[in-house]
Amino acid sequence: MTRQSASSWISRLFLLSVLFGLISGVRAHGYIVRALPPDGAVLERPPARVQYWFSESLEPEFSAVNVRGPDGTIIASGGVSPDNDSLMSARLPSGLPQGTYIVELRLAFASDGHVLTESQVFSVGAAADGIAGIRANSAALPLEVLWRTLLLSSLLLLFGVYTLYALVLLPAWGSPDHPAGLLPPRVMRRLNTVVLWAFVLAFAGSLLALLQQTMVFYGVDAAQAIASGFINTVRTSTRFGDVWNMRMLFLTLAAALHAASLYGRHSQPESVRAFWVANAWLFALILGTLSVASHAAGSPLWPWLAMTNDWLHLLAVGFWVGGLAAFVLVLPPALQPYTGETRRLALLAALRRLSRIATLCVAVVITTGIYASLNWLYSPADVTSTTYGTALLLKVLLVGLLVALGAAHHLALRPRRYQRFGALIARIGDFGLTLRLETASAALVLGAVGLLSATPIPKPAFLNTQVAAPAATVSAADFSVTQTLLPGGPGINTYETLLQRGGQPVESPSVRVQMVRPEADWRGTWHLAESAGDGLYVTTGDEIDAQGLWWTLVDVTQADGSVTRAAFAWSITQDAAVQQTRAPQLQHLLALAAVLAVLLWALYPALMRFLRWLDLRPELVLIAVLATGAVIFFAVIGYNAIRDNQLAAAARLNPPPSIVNTVLPDAQSLARGAALYQQACLGWPQNDDLRFLRRDLPAMRDQAVFAAVRDGWRALPACAAPLSAQQRWDIVNYLRTFERER
Amino acid sequence: MFPPIMLAHGALGPYDEVIFLGVIALFITFMALSWILSRNTKPKFDREPVVDSPSSHQDDSPERFKLD
């Protein structure tokens, strides 16, 4: 290769990289779906901790939260919760003075490795003027744009080259006269050159990606990242590194296969085609690694489906854009010996096949693109009122232009069939201009895609509604017990209990917490809360699984061994839940149906070939239909039987109670119950069966204990009448305290 | 005990690894099969009409053109 041709090649590949690279731009990142306290909140008293739930998982090693006090010093630090990698929290010291506090968040999103900084503000007492949180900066990092450009463009080009070879060039131009690859040597040389440069770009992009990720994770420059060994840490201990390792493994395997095809092209020419076809499958897999690390995997609706949809989108773009680019690059040497009508015929033979597959790919790109966009749009107004929606509209318009050009090519490829469009077909001529125009249009579409990718995902409006976490304070003995449920909706919650006496924190040997759902006569296990200092006791649980009335029972053990009960009643609503998922709506189902219809269209020839291959004699078809029907019938029967059994088992384990405990088991109820037990349940303390009742209490539901009080239990007599239902519940609540002694 | 986390994005359930590795195994199998089939079978070029000059084609656009 001469210096001039090498330079020409580099400039072409650079141009392609820039055009393809526009597709990546800067990926829009995750966002806060719930903040406690909310940004800008003015609180009456200082919170015990700050908590932030995100739409996507975070890298624990590289994410942090710092809270600065009114004087600017850092008063607390925290990180990603060990139980939930989309939650960041920091414990605050007690006795914080009034003033405004700034929460600095350093966020490293696990999916794409983006590192952002963002700040939130809350005030205790009164808000300070002029202090506000700073939103995450979504500006592009030049090195990131560079590696994304290199990586995505090269991978799309490689997938495009291999699939173009297998699906277009080989069937259109292939000949056994050329044993190595079945295409003329000049064509194979050009394809090999494209592949070689694309591999170089892919490896360079991958290495740059790891370097840039290390730099942003550790906040160091390139030299430090390389010299310190941080690169290996990122490679082996982050999700970004895991996907990077997998991609490099496949990329190396693909390079080895291609090298094998070059090495054996003289000794085993028949293997060349085999290696090229195999690499088409391998690059389909490599493109899949991009989807694994995309925002589709963090989709609020059916993440697996969104990820598969994203993969399909990439594959279609890979053939459409990568294949078109490879085709444009291979045309000059392929058609070099021909002129005039012969040249046109040679071009048409390949273009007809390319056009057919590209049409399918465009349909797949459009439908999968629509489905992907709907994952992030919550209402039609989002299309016109958000930047994301505007960018989406621009992209749709440009795709429309591209489809129009494709349609014009379709007509020009069949001039006899579409004679009425003769004038248009004549203007298209030898396709030279329109092919270049189509490539330019594709670049514009990719630019719109880049803009779309760089545009932050619109946050659903309901996230702007600030829902306070449920909190209440009760007095028990000489304590003041404050409990907070965070976030306070169905799902995993943190139960915070703050003990104070005369405004001062109190330390206790143990604080235990139990969740109760009285309407279902259901009690959770007792949690031993962990002391976080300054009188704060924290534990976590997933007991709250439905809206409605819930109780929290708190048993505080004092230094002398006595136990004090505090009880709280909560009305749990869905509003307080952290919503990281969304329910499918009609438009999602329609978009999904469109994707499936296009896939069916694309696979129709293969399906028909498969049908032709089948032995469709009537008796065999009848047997197959009957067998399939029987399988479906028994599968449905089996599914229903299993579901009914599960429901029956659940109902047997926890049937709706015939009588519901209506008395909150607080300290007053326990005191009343103790007194009534002494007065009315005569003979119980001396009865041997009380020992068995104590043993069975944890497994007994409240209605069973109520029945024991009302009717007696084994040799225990009924507690003497007359007792009101409330009084019996007081006794039940008191009897429950026997569980403490176990 | 689940296999170590290698590719899981999170929020996709405890079977992330099994599904990802299953997809990889499927594609590697397709790759190997396509290699074997391509290596051991000749392409079926003869089924379709070939044009190599303007006078030899009948259709709007030929499906095949044998490059020299």
Side-chain angles (χ1 to χ4, degrees):
Chain A
M1 188 183 290
T2 65
R3 178 176 294 181
Q4 188 181 5
S5 67
S7 167
S8 165
W9 265 106
I10 290 170
S11 61
R12 284 180 200 177
L13 286 171
F14 177 75
L15 178 62
L16 281 171
S17 298
V18 170
L19 295 180
F20 288 175
L22 290 172
I23 200 171
S24 60
V26 177
R27 295 283 179 172
H29 46 76
Y31 49 79
I32 293 174
V33 295
R34 185 82 191 273
L36 289 175
D39 189 29
V42 181
L43 310 172
E44 289 181 7
R45 58 168 179 266
R49 60 172 59 196
V50 291
Q51 290 182 293
Y52 299 91
W53 285 264
F54 291 86
S55 59
E56 295 183 16
S57 301
L58 299 162
E59 282 289 357
E61 297 288 328
F62 300 101
S63 301
V65 53
N66 289 318
V67 183
R68 291 187 183 275
D71 61 355
T73 58
I74 293 176
I75 58 166
S77 297
V80 177
S81 163
D83 303 319
N84 181 354
D85 59 8
S86 61
L87 167 64
M88 283 187 78
S89 63
R91 161 93 176 91
L92 301 180
S94 63
L96 291 178
Q98 291 196 348
T100 297
Y101 295 80
I102 299 174
V103 184
E104 297 169 342
L105 298 158
R106 184 182 197 269
L107 313 168
F109 287 99
S111 60
D112 53 14
H114 273 151
V115 177
L116 307 170
T117 55
E118 180 170 346
S119 67
Q120 298 243 327
V121 170
F122 69 90
S123 301
V124 179
D129 292 334
I131 301 180
I134 300 170
R135 297 282 76 81
N137 179 11
S138 57
L141 296 173
L143 195 56
E144 183 181 353
V145 173
L146 179 63
W147 75 252
R148 284 186 184 278
T149 300
L150 291 175
L151 187 63
L152 191 67
S153 58
S154 54
L155 293 185
L156 289 177
L157 185 59
L158 283 163
F159 179 70
V161 169
Y162 287 117
T163 48
L164 182 83
Y165 170 82
L167 300 177
V168 175
L169 301 185
L170 206 54
W173 291 342
S175 163
D177 298 345
H178 312 291
L182 303 172
L183 291 173
R186 65 179 187 283
V187 176
M188 291 306 294
R189 267 199 303 277
R190 173 58 62 93
L191 288 173
N192 275 314
T193 310
V194 173
V195 167
L196 174 69
W197 280 105
F199 265 118
V200 169
L201 292 178
F203 279 108
S206 294
L207 294 173
L208 269 182
L210 187 59
L211 179 65
Q212 187 265 339
Q213 206 57 59
T214 306
M215 289 163 63
V216 294
F217 272 163
Y218 284 98
V220 296
D221 60 26
Q224 282 177 294
I226 294 169
S228 60
F230 289 155
I231 278 185
N232 253 341
T233 309
V234 171
R235 197 177 60 76
T236 56
S237 65
T238 65
R239 199 170 300 159
F240 174 90
D242 294 338
V243 178
W244 188 91
N245 285 336
M246 197 59 70
R247 189 182 302 129
M248 284 296 277
L249 179 70
F250 293 147
L251 206 51
T252 306
L253 177 60
L257 291 182
H258 194 86
S261 80
L262 287 174
Y263 180 76
R265 67 184 186 281
H266 298 303
S267 57
Q268 295 187 359
E270 67 280 5
S271 294
V272 172
R273 178 171 72 113
F275 282 121
W276 279 64
V277 173
N279 259 0
W281 285 102
L282 195 50
F283 271 96
L285 194 57
I286 292 173
L287 286 179
T289 63
L290 298 179
S291 296
V292 170
S294 75
H295 282 274
S299 167
L301 173 66
W302 299 329
W304 280 106
L305 194 58
M307 207 160 54
T308 308
N309 181 73
D310 186 77
W311 190 12
L312 275 175
H313 192 77
L314 270 181
L315 292 176
V317 170
F319 181 84
W320 176 37
V321 179
L324 185 65
F327 187 65
V328 169
L329 289 170
V330 85
L331 274 183
L335 303 183
Q336 179 233 330
Y338 306 107
T339 56
E341 181 64 8
T342 311
R343 182 184 175 92
R344 183 171 174 275
L345 286 176
L347 173 64
L348 288 181
L351 200 54
R352 190 167 178 176
R353 292 175 185 273
L354 178 68
S355 171
R356 197 180 299 145
I357 304 175
T359 304
L360 291 174
C361 288
V362 169
V364 173
V365 167
I366 291 172
T367 51
T368 52
I370 289 172
Y371 179 79
S373 301
L374 288 176
N375 274 341
W376 307 108
L377 296 177
Y378 283 78
S379 72
D382 287 344
V383 177
T384 51
S385 63
T386 65
T387 316
Y388 185 87
T390 310
L392 184 63
L393 269 183
L394 177 65
K395 179 186 166 187
V396 169
L397 289 175
L398 289 169
V399 168
L401 172 65
L402 202 56
V403 170
L405 278 167
H409 280 161
H410 178 82
L411 299 180
L413 282 167
R414 297 157 184 84
R416 292 180 189 169
R417 192 187 305 174
Y418 299 108
Q419 287 178 0
R420 61 185 180 280
F421 297 105
L424 174 67
I425 292 169
R427 289 178 72 89
I428 292 173
D430 66 351
F431 296 91
L433 178 63
T434 49
L435 267 180
R436 282 194 288 273
L437 194 58
E438 190 175 4
T439 308
S441 301
L444 283 177
V445 171
L446 294 177
V449 174
L451 177 65
L452 193 65
S453 303
T455 306
I457 296 163
K459 288 177 70 171
F462 66 79
L463 292 180
N464 298 326
T465 307
Q466 296 185 357
V467 181
T473 302
V474 300
S475 296
D478 56 348
F479 291 120
S480 164
V481 183
T482 301
Q483 180 147 72
T484 309
L485 303 183
L486 299 168
I492 296 176
N493 281 274
T494 300
Y495 316 132
E496 289 189 353
T497 308
L498 182 65
L499 300 181
Q500 289 181 311
R501 185 185 288 124
Q504 295 302 310
V506 177
E507 299 300 325
S508 163
S510 88
V511 172
R512 299 193 312 147
V513 179
Q514 184 185 44
M515 296 304 299
V516 179
R517 191 179 179 206
E519 290 165 351
D521 201 352
W522 180 88
R523 286 168 181 267
T525 55
W526 284 94
H527 293 273
L528 182 62
E530 180 188 350
S531 172
D534 298 320
L536 183 70
Y537 293 82
V538 182
T539 184
T540 305
D542 60 357
E543 287 88 349
I544 301 177
D545 58 0
Q547 302 182 77
L549 177 68
W550 287 81
W551 291 341
T552 311
L553 311 184
V554 181
D555 277 357
V556 180
T557 304
Q558 302 192 53
D560 60 1
S562 61
V563 178
T564 301
R565 163 66 59 85
F568 302 83
W570 311 102
S571 178
I572 299 295
T573 65
Q574 191 65 36
D575 296 343
V578 174
Q579 297 192 33
Q580 290 172 306
T581 59
R582 64 182 297 191
Q585 293 172 309
L586 179 62
Q587 64 266 29
H588 299 115
L589 301 177
L590 290 176
L592 188 59
V595 173
L596 293 175
V598 167
L599 286 181
L600 193 64
W601 176 39
L603 296 174
Y604 181 74
L607 290 175
M608 290 310 291
R609 274 200 302 275
F610 179 68
L611 277 179
R612 281 195 292 271
W613 174 78
L614 293 175
D615 186 352
L616 295 177
R617 277 177 290 169
E619 62 271 25
L620 294 179
V621 171
L622 180 64
I623 291 171
V625 168
L626 289 177
T628 307
V631 168
I632 293 172
F633 175 76
F634 286 113
V636 170
I637 294 285
Y639 173 79
N640 284 333
I642 291 171
R643 190 192 57 184
D644 290 347
N645 276 335
Q646 286 175 334
L647 291 174
R652 272 197 300 276
L653 284 172
N654 207 34
S658 55
I659 183 167
V660 174
N661 189 346
T662 54
V663 180
L664 182 67
D666 55 11
Q668 292 76 22
S669 172
L670 300 192
R672 290 193 304 268
L676 287 167
Y677 174 75
Q678 296 295 334
Q679 295 164 17
C681 303
L682 301 173
W684 279 42
Q686 295 79 29
N687 195 308
D688 281 348
D689 276 349
L690 182 61
R691 184 162 51 93
F692 297 111
L693 181 67
R694 287 172 185 268
R695 182 196 64 190
D696 293 349
L697 261 178
M700 291 173 72
R701 304 176 78 199
D702 275 7
Q703 67 173 7
V705 185
F706 185 89
V709 172
R710 184 187 58 200
D711 308 325
W713 187 79
R714 292 173 65 160
L716 292 173
C719 294
L723 287 173
S724 67
Q726 180 175 340
Q727 287 173 318
R728 287 200 176 99
W729 284 123
D730 283 332
I731 296 175
V732 170
N733 290 340
Y734 170 69
L735 290 175
R736 286 280 178 204
T737 63
F738 290 178
E739 294 176 30
R740 294 171 180 164
E741 300 160 19
R742 288 170 56 84
Chain B
M1 182 180 170
F2 290 108
I5 301 299
M6 293 162 62
L7 288 169
H9 183 279
L12 298 179
Y15 298 104
D16 285 10
E17 300 306 302
V18 177
I19 294 173
F20 281 129
L21 294 176
V23 170
I24 289 171
L26 190 68
F27 269 73
I28 296 291
T29 305
F30 283 151
M31 196 183 110
L33 279 177
S34 66
W35 189 92
I36 292 167
L37 290 175
S38 301
R39 176 75 175 73
N40 297 327
T41 57
K42 290 185 176 178
K44 298 166 183 170
F45 291 137
D46 298 334
R47 283 187 180 180
E48 292 158 353
V50 178
V51 292
D52 49 13
S53 68
S55 59
S56 65
H57 80 284
Q58 302 297 320
D59 196 6
D60 277 358
S61 309
E63 286 284 338
R64 276 187 41 71
F65 185 99
K66 199 169 84 175
L67 286 189
D68 296 327

